[in-house]
Amino acid sequence: MTERAPVLSVRGLSVRFLMPGGRRVAAVSDAHFDVAAGECLALIGESGCGKSVLASALLGLLPGNARTAGAALLGDLDLLAADERTFARTVRGRLVGLVPQSPAAHLTPVRSIRSQLEETVAELTGVRGRAALRRAAEAAAERAAFPVDHLDHHPHELSGGLAQRAATAMALVGDAPLLLADEPTTGLDRDLVDRTVDELRRHVDNQAGDRSRALLMITHDLAAAERIADRIAVMYAGRIVELADAADFFGAPGPRHPYSRGLLDALPDRAFTPVPGLPPELGALPDGCAFAARCDRATDACAAPPPLTAAVACHHPHAALTEAADRA
């Protein structure tokens, strides 16, 4: 998957939700990827494709009707096999830092941001003493561009963007080996998007001693992904359909999967053409390629599911970089 040692190695990760009447929803299917030390992997795709479910599986936050398969190795620890005690005491905050998609739901409504940051600092870093905790909390806030003069506010007094920055500040406190950022730029203006992703990038680039760090970022913001990511993983209908170097993905010759090309073509600074049609329901996926009904390259071969070959799951992918160079 990558030449560097992986911080996170995911193999065959699948998530099924058991629904009333025996129905099963295939939220994530057979995901394979690594996130290497010093690397940012951006996971992109339309809403409802399974990105956040994958993140929840890595943090042990799935509901009781979820069933998982496969492995997700963080060092020697298989996150899919860990129990709640291990997640609470060892994983969350310490080994995996989370920038949540809905920060308001993760902040305690009756406590100030300062008190929550100070508690996080004390728990994850061991800093003690009122003055030391105050300084450390303010430093953590500044790191995430959260205004220090808002630290004594409660979550309901914050805008969505400020709540996002407060959550980001808490996620960075533990300097966890893996930072999992689920839509970390939601509600931010462009300048703050750039500042936020740059801070996340610094977290990855700051390899302290033998403590390797990596970032898995889930995002709809392709501009943010282009700014920060080393590699791109594209998810469609619960499956990863393409893995690519970010420079090749956003540059020439571009993505190989037709869906990935459609995502880029929908950007205002490109063709500004939406992908036609709608994705299938995860509880009623077709037997073959899930994108075939929306794809202008589809043929009878697409009645069979395409394997992930050469980092793209498509029977009719666009040319790879070497193929394009050979024809030039």
Side-chain angles (χ1 to χ4, degrees), residues 100-101 103 160-161 164 182-188 193:
Q101 183 176 17
Q164 187 70 53
D182 190 358
E183 300 290 355
T185 59
T186 300
L188 304 183
V193 166

Side-chain angles (χ1 to χ4, degrees), residues 48-209:
C49 71
K51 304 186 302 297
S52 293
V53 172
L54 187 152
S56 295
L58 297 178
L59 283 164
L61 296 176
L62 292 171
N65 67 330
R67 300 293 180 269
T68 62
L73 296 177
L74 186 66
D76 296 328
L77 176 64
D78 185 354
L79 297 174
L80 299 188
D83 57 21
E84 176 55 30
R85 180 185 179 91
T86 300
F87 274 111
R89 297 195 173 190
T90 305
V91 176
R92 299 183 192 122
R94 293 173 172 84
L95 294 179
V96 182
L98 173 66
V99 181
Q101 183 176 17
S102 302
H106 287 254
L107 297 172
T108 303
V110 297
R111 297 177 59 196
S112 70
I113 301 303
R114 183 186 299 279
S115 69
Q116 295 182 61
L117 255 180
E118 289 182 355
E119 180 183 51
T120 302
V121 168
E123 181 69 23
L124 299 182
T125 70
V127 171
R128 294 292 182 269
R130 184 172 181 179
L133 281 173
R134 186 179 183 89
R135 288 193 301 269
E138 291 177 356
E142 291 173 352
R143 185 177 177 186
F146 184 89
V148 173
D149 60 1
H150 280 58
L151 278 173
D152 293 313
H153 286 55
H154 288 72
H156 72 273
E157 299 176 291
L158 304 179
S159 66
L162 282 176
Q164 187 70 53
R165 281 180 272 167
T168 300
M170 292 181 192
L172 292 172
V173 165
D175 284 327
L178 177 66
L179 189 61
L180 203 166
D182 190 358
E183 300 290 355
T185 59
T186 300
L188 304 183
D189 61 34
R190 198 73 248 163
D191 287 342
L192 282 174
V193 166
D194 292 346
R195 181 167 177 176
T196 298
V197 299
D198 288 349
E199 185 56 58
L200 297 177
R201 183 75 239 188
R202 276 191 289 275
H203 171 83
V204 174
D205 292 339
N206 183 19
Q207 304 294 310

Side-chain angles (χ1 to χ4, degrees), residues 249-270:
F249 187 90
F250 290 105
R256 300 193 63 202
H257 197 283
Y259 173 66
S260 306
R261 294 234 169 179
L263 289 178
L264 289 189
D265 286 344
L267 294 176
D269 59 347
R270 301 209 180 199

Side-chain angles (χ1 to χ4, degrees), residues 10-15 28-33 54 57-58 68-72 80:
V10 173
R11 296 292 181 271
L13 192 161
S14 296
V15 180
V28 179
S29 297
D30 198 29
H32 288 71
F33 63 88
L54 187 152
L58 297 178
T68 62
L80 299 188

